Structures are given as structure tokens and as C-alpha cells.
Amino acid sequence: MPAPMEPPVGPPPPQPPVPTRAELVEHLRHTRIAGDVATPRENNLAHFRALANGDRYYWFGLELGDRWTDEQDVLAVMAERVGVVDDPGHRAGQDTIDPDLTVDALERAAVRLRKAADAGERVLFATGHPGGLLDVHRSVAAALRVAGCHVVRVPLGLVADEGVVVQLADVAMHERGATLWHTHSPEPMRAVLDALPRHGEPLPDLVFADHGWAGCAGQRGLDTVGFADCNDPALFLAEAEGTLAVAVPLDDHVVNPRFYEPMTAYLLAAAGLAL
């Protein structure tokens, strides 16, 4: 039986203008992708505490052991890498993501994407936030495909968390009841990474993902670029430990997913991949 053919590559969608760094920082603030974000301080601290107390829901598939059992240590990393308020006495109200840290992380991610393009690497894309970040992943996948990378195709029929793994626009997601699910679970990524060798496929050279998809891939030792919100500390702890290549801080579900388009344009341009 012949191997399935790669889907044809159509004309790329129109791209928004590439902002300068200063313009992107202002855009991130204006749209609340960064700056004064919608996630309240109380929610952030509750998640930091839950992770420190060993609640694996917040570990995103990472094995953190007993290295992060102090909530204040988690807060310190989140202040350094995300820009949340570093005052432990600030217990309620507004919290923040530093947009300059977001752009710094995008530039680090761009270096890794350029490496993937130059080497024609195998890249796997996945999102646990299809309502917010699907088009970010799709755009990067399209750009890397044009640059000569191989976008990993997910085997059919994978089951996880009472649903299935599907792949649309080159991006793996979790589906239950004909609905794409917001999920923090690492189980869909575990299903993919376990299935690839069974189907005679090598593991990806790079994973571009978020949530538990990214955490699981990083824990498996794969080079991983991940997006995470200020109430999701696990990926930033993993970056601090060297388990994750890059963790990009941002509000991962703002009111209009098109607000991410200038950010994506900046990322691709920085990687030399603008379409």
C-alpha cells in the first residue's frame, strides 16, 4: 500500500505587517496579551500553591519532584521569567505579564525556528488552547513547511482522556464529542509520542506547543518551544531547569484570536520565515 501523500501546499494566507519591537510591546499591552492581563492575582497564587503542593494537574506532564515545594520559589521564577508582581504580600487584584519578557522569549523561539528551517527538521505542532492559539501554531507550521521542514503527521485513531487526538491545519488537538477541547493534560501528547515509533516514524526534532502538550514533550527530552499564561507556572519552571527550550509568557486566550497576528508576524520575521 503506498504511503499517504503529503497534503498540497497552497498559497500562504496574507500576512499582517511586521511590527517593530516597540510597536509589538505596545500592541501586547493594548490587547492585554501582556501588561495588565485578565488573570487575577488570586488565581495565579492559587495555581502556584497547587503546583508547590504536588497537584499534578498543574505539572503539565513534567516531573518536578520535590524541587518546587515552596510557593515563594515558584513566585520568584514567575516574577523573573513572566513579570508577575514579585511582592509576596500582593495577594489580590491585578497581576501582570511583562511584554518585554514576552518579546524576549519570542526572539529566543525565533532562533530555534531558524535552526529547524536550516536543518529541515521534523516539527510537531500541538495546542491545548484551540480557541486562542490555533492560528499561531498553524501559521508557524505553514512557514516551516515552506522553508523545507517536515511537519509531523499524527497517526490516526489515538485515544486520550475520553477523546481522540485530531490534527487540523497541521496542528494536533484534543477532540471530545465533535468539539475541540481546551486541555492542560499531557495525555494526548503521550499518545502521539508513543504512537509514532509504533508506526515506524521517528520522533520530532522540535515540538512547538503549549500546556501539557509542551510539558510532556519537554519531559521526554524533546526540544520544545511552549506558550503559557501567568497562572501556568510549570513550563517556566521547566525552562529554568533546562527541560524546555523556550517558554513564552502571554495571556493564551484573549477576546479575539486575531490579536495574536502581529505577534506571530514578529516571530516569523525574527526567524527569517515571514511569508
Side-chain angles (χ1 to χ4, degrees), residues 107-123 144 147-149 205-206 222-225 245 270-273:
E107 291 173 351
R108 296 196 302 276
V111 172
R112 187 59 187 85
L113 293 178
R114 184 68 254 166
K115 177 184 176 183
D118 289 343
E121 290 183 343
R122 294 172 51 84
V123 188
L144 284 181
C149 287
D205 302 301
L206 174 65
L222 300 174
D223 255 13
T224 303
V225 173
L273 296 170

Side-chain angles (χ1 to χ4, degrees), residues 59-62 124-130 137 154 158 160-161 164-167 171-175 180-193 207-220 222-227 235 244:
W59 286 20
F60 284 14
L62 293 154
L124 174 62
F125 293 85
T127 183
H129 233 302
H137 293 282
V154 172
L158 302 185
D161 292 335
V164 296
V165 178
V166 297
Q167 190 172 30
V171 184
M173 291 167 282
H174 187 235
E175 179 190 277
L180 298 176
W181 274 65
H182 168 212
T183 177
H184 289 188
S185 173
E187 294 305 320
M189 180 60 89
R190 285 196 182 114
V192 172
L193 297 181
V207 174
F208 191 90
D210 51 64
H211 284 181
W213 296 90
C216 177
Q219 186 62 44
R220 291 284 184 98
L222 300 174
D223 255 13
T224 303
V225 173
F227 294 93
L235 297 190
L244 211 72

Side-chain angles (χ1 to χ4, degrees), residues 99-100 120 227 234 268:
D100 280 300
F227 294 93
L268 293 178

